[in-house]
């Protein structure tokens, strides 16, 4: 869990949700790349982030891609956030005694527009939050920032500002994450993704 | 103690590996080629426990060859890298896992776009413009950050590689005297003297 | 019946060198609802005839003749729907697995080949019957662009510019042969498909309940777009092509 490093956070707003991550890929203290993808799109109303061991982030995103494409073809519709949360949790629990070292964060809007965020531990114990979810090596720092900045019923622009400040200031206090950030805000109209510049040291 | 270096240039990828085969403190051989061509336009360089590494590289090489014979279409660099990563990631959670770090470099012969993938023995993979494995990464990453730029000509790429090798020879305690350097471009793979 | 001794098992050749069970499977398909495909320069069209048995039958939510297999491939079926379901699921799994392994879409011919390897197995290994379905596949990949294939229960497959499977397929094929031209556009291919379907279907009037229609094309960003026609779009298409003009509505 502390080998590659990550900072991932998702927050609820008023009729919107946001999910953000850092962009570093490193092996312990050595940074290898600053454009590593940790947030993945399921469909425009549902995104998820994976924090933890980079190899498992990649493998698990591939497993989800497989399961989600089969789901979509079988059902003929997009998966709902709640259903995806349970799919992710049972996928993780399948490896109860040899787990994927990954803690997913899920953010999306339900079909009726209700915001949804949830997290889980590496064996799929779900945590349905009413406010925000954090994951990665900067988890503690993210909790501190989110606890002090987040408030209920933020609009999309305010939510973007709050989640960006939470991410940037948390990752600056974590040696293993940072080197740029990416934020996706999901509203009923669609998702917008913005890249953040940050300290590169 | 082993070194791998990779640079993406304008229309080529440059890959280098030290040519020393060592066991403990003894140099067993100089001139060991730690690279395997995967097809006409893709090359893998690797380090790791010699038996493991060569076996894994040749396993990938053979499977990609089989794919080409079966399907009469060559795979892209990205597809090759994804496939190799999957094999490593699956191997990691098997009883006997491969401990191999590698770089995969290639060029799309049609678009002439060069690509370089960095991969470690865990199966973590990332697409990079320049990459290094081993102790060399500590010395060369900063050289790359300072001197690498987009669309470098082959001469510029070789000059950058020479800077890296110079740094290794002056600052790394282990003297890696011999390197094998290969270029992949739309004409194929060839070895060059640096 | 000279064939009796040789058709009880799928794996036994008759003295004339034929596999009767496989031929029977193909015979079954020649009575099934027609499915056809036309390859155009900028896309592929698939069309199929639905044989709805009764007005009381609940129209199923999804399609029953045309299936999406992956982002870049789709197929129309003729034959036993239950057999088709099994094979469609298999094809979807193969395509999705390829994508997770190689990070790219599966080339169309490879997917067809995988399906046919499975189908072929059932003509050789004993105790099981062959799959009673033929497919028309439409797909796109970077190697060969848009492609059209058909496969039958024996596991044979071939690439086409236009072809038809199921009832009256020989009839349809001859129309396709005479009316197909090189450099055909997708909209012309759609017209051709409607025309062929209207001439080969048994029923006097064609309605949106009796056919399924789908196209594969590239959007502006170069991504493959699968479009399954809604009942309204099919009615519009039938009207545009003037298919039902000689048959007034009240005669139904």
């Amino acid at each position: 869990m502390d080998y590659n490093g990550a900072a991932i956070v998702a927050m609820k707003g008023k009729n919107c949700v946001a999910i953000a991550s850092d962009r570093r890929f490193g092996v312990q203290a050595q940074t290898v790349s600053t454009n590593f993808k940790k947030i993945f799109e399921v469909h425009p109303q549902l995104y998820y982030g994976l924090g933890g061991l980079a190899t498992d982030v990649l493998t698990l995103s591939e497993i989800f891609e497989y399961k989600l494409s089969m789901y979509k073809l079988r059902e003929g519709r997009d998966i709902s956030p709640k259903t995806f949360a349970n799919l992710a949790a049972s996928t993780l629990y399948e490896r109860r005694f040899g787990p994927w070292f990954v803690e997913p964060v899920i953010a999306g809007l339900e079909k009726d527009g209700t915001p949804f965020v949830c997290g889980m531990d590496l064996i799929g114990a779900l945590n349905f939050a009413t406010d925000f979810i954090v994951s990665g090596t900067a988890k503690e720092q993210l909790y501190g920032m989110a606890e002090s900045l987040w408030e209920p019923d933020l609009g999309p622009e305010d939510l973007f500002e709050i989640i960006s400040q939470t991410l940037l200031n948390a990752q600056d206090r974590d040696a293993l994450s940072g080197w740029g950030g990416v934020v996706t805000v999901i509203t009923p109209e669609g998702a917008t993704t913005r890249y953040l510049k940050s300290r590169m040291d | 103690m082993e070194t791998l270096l990779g640079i993406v240039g304008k229309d080529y990828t440059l890959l280098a590996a030290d040519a020393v085969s060592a066991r403990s403190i003894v140099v067993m051989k100089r001139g060991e080629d730690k690279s395997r061509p995967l097809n006409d336009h893709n090359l893998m360089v690797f380090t790791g426990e010699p038996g493991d590494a060569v076996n894994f590289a040749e396993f990938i090489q053979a499977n990609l060859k089989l794919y080409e014979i079966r399907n009469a279409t060559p795979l892209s660099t990205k597809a090759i890298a994804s496939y190799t990563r999957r094999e490593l990631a699956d191997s990691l959670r098997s009883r006997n896992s491969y401990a191999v770090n590698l770089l995969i470099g290639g060029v799309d012969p049609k678009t002439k776009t060069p690509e370089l993938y960095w991969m470690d023995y865990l199966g973590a993979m990332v697409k990079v413009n320049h990459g290094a494995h081993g102790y060399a990464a500590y010395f060369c990453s900063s050289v790359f950050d300072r001197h690498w730029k987009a669309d470098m000509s082959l001469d510029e790429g070789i000059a950058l590689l020479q800077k890296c090798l110079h740094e290794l020879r002056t600052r790394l305690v282990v003297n890696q005297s011999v390197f094998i350097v290969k270029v992949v471009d739309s004409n194929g793979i060839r070895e060059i003297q640096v | 019946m000279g064939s009796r001794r040789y058709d009880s098992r799928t794996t036994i050749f008759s003295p004339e060198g034929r596999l009767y069970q496989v031929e029977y499977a193909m015979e079954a398909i020649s009575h099934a609802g027609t499915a056809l495909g036309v390859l155009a320069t900028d896309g592929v069209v698939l069309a199929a005839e639905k044989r709805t048995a009764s007005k009381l039958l609940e129209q199923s939510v999804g399609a029953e003749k045309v299936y999406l297999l992956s982002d870049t491939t789709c197929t129309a079926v003729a034959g036993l729907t239950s057999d088709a379901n099994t094979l469609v699921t298999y094809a979807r799994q193969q395509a999705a697995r390829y994508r997770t392994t190689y990070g790219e879409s599966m080339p169309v011919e490879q997917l067809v080949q995988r399906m046919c390897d499975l189908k072929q197995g059932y003509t050789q290994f004993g105790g099981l019957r062959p799959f009673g379905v033929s497919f028309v596949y439409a797909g796109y990949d970077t190697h060969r662009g848009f492609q059209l294939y058909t496969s039958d229960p024996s596991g044979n497959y071939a690439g086409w510019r236009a072809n038809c499977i199921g009832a009256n397929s020989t009839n349809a094929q001859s129309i396709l042969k005479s009316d197909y031209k090189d450099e055909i556009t997708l909209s012309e291919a759609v017209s051709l498909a409607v025309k062929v379907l209207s001439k080969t279907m048994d029923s006097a009037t064609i309605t949106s309940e009796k056919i399924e229609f789908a196209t594969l094309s590239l959007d502006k960003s170069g991504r493959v777009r699968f479009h399954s026609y809604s009942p309204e779009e099919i009615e519009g298409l039938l009207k545009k092509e003037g298919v039902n003009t000689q048959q007034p509505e009240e005669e139904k």
Side-chain angles (χ1 to χ4, degrees), chain A residues 69-70 72-74, chain C residues 46 66-77 84-97 106 108 111-112 115 135-139 216 226:
Chain A
S69 83
M70 289 306 289
K72 196 176 176 188
L73 290 166
R74 192 171 61 240
Chain C
L46 291 181
V66 180
Y67 297 89
L68 195 57
L69 299 178
S70 70
D71 290 348
T72 53
T73 45
C74 59
T75 187
V77 304
N85 284 333
T86 313
L87 283 167
V88 163
T89 307
Y90 177 78
R92 287 172 171 177
Q93 285 168 341
Q94 292 298 318
R97 201 171 69 111
M106 191 169 190
V108 187
L111 183 60
V112 176
M115 291 276 270
F135 291 94
V136 194
Y137 309 85
L216 215 58
F226 171 76

Side-chain angles (χ1 to χ4, degrees), chain A residues 3 30 55-56 59 62 99, chain B residues 85-86 93 122-123 125-126 137:
Chain A
Y3 188 71
Q30 180 186 247
T55 177
D56 290 349
T59 308
E62 288 164 3
Chain B
R85 194 204 80 79
R86 222 344 143 65
R93 289 171 192 277
L122 299 168
M125 176 175 88
V126 67

Side-chain angles (χ1 to χ4, degrees), chain A residues 85-127:
Chain A
N86 283 284
L87 182 140
S90 48
T91 304
L92 290 179
Y93 196 79
E94 266 176 31
R95 299 291 179 101
R96 171 62 180 80
F97 297 108
W100 303 112
F101 294 105
V102 166
E103 290 187 352
V105 171
I106 296 167
L109 294 179
E110 294 285 359
K111 211 172 178 192
D112 61 3
T114 317
F116 177 94
V117 296
C118 102
M120 66 199 76
D121 70 0
L122 78 170
I123 52 168
L126 282 160
N127 170 17

Side-chain angles (χ1 to χ4, degrees), chain C residues 8-58:
Chain C
S8 58
R9 277 189 288 168
T10 52
T11 51
I12 301 294
F13 278 109
S14 77
E16 304 92 72
R18 294 158 63 177
L19 290 169
Y20 283 113
Q21 283 298 326
V22 176
E23 290 184 22
Y24 296 159
M26 296 202 214
E27 182 61 25
I29 290 159
S30 72
H31 299 299
T34 317
L36 66 91
V38 181
L39 180 65
T41 49
D42 53 347
V44 199
V45 54
L46 291 181
E49 174 196 359
K50 277 198 276 194
R51 294 253 167 108
T52 350
S54 159
K55 278 190 171 171
L56 296 175
L57 193 71
E58 191 82 69

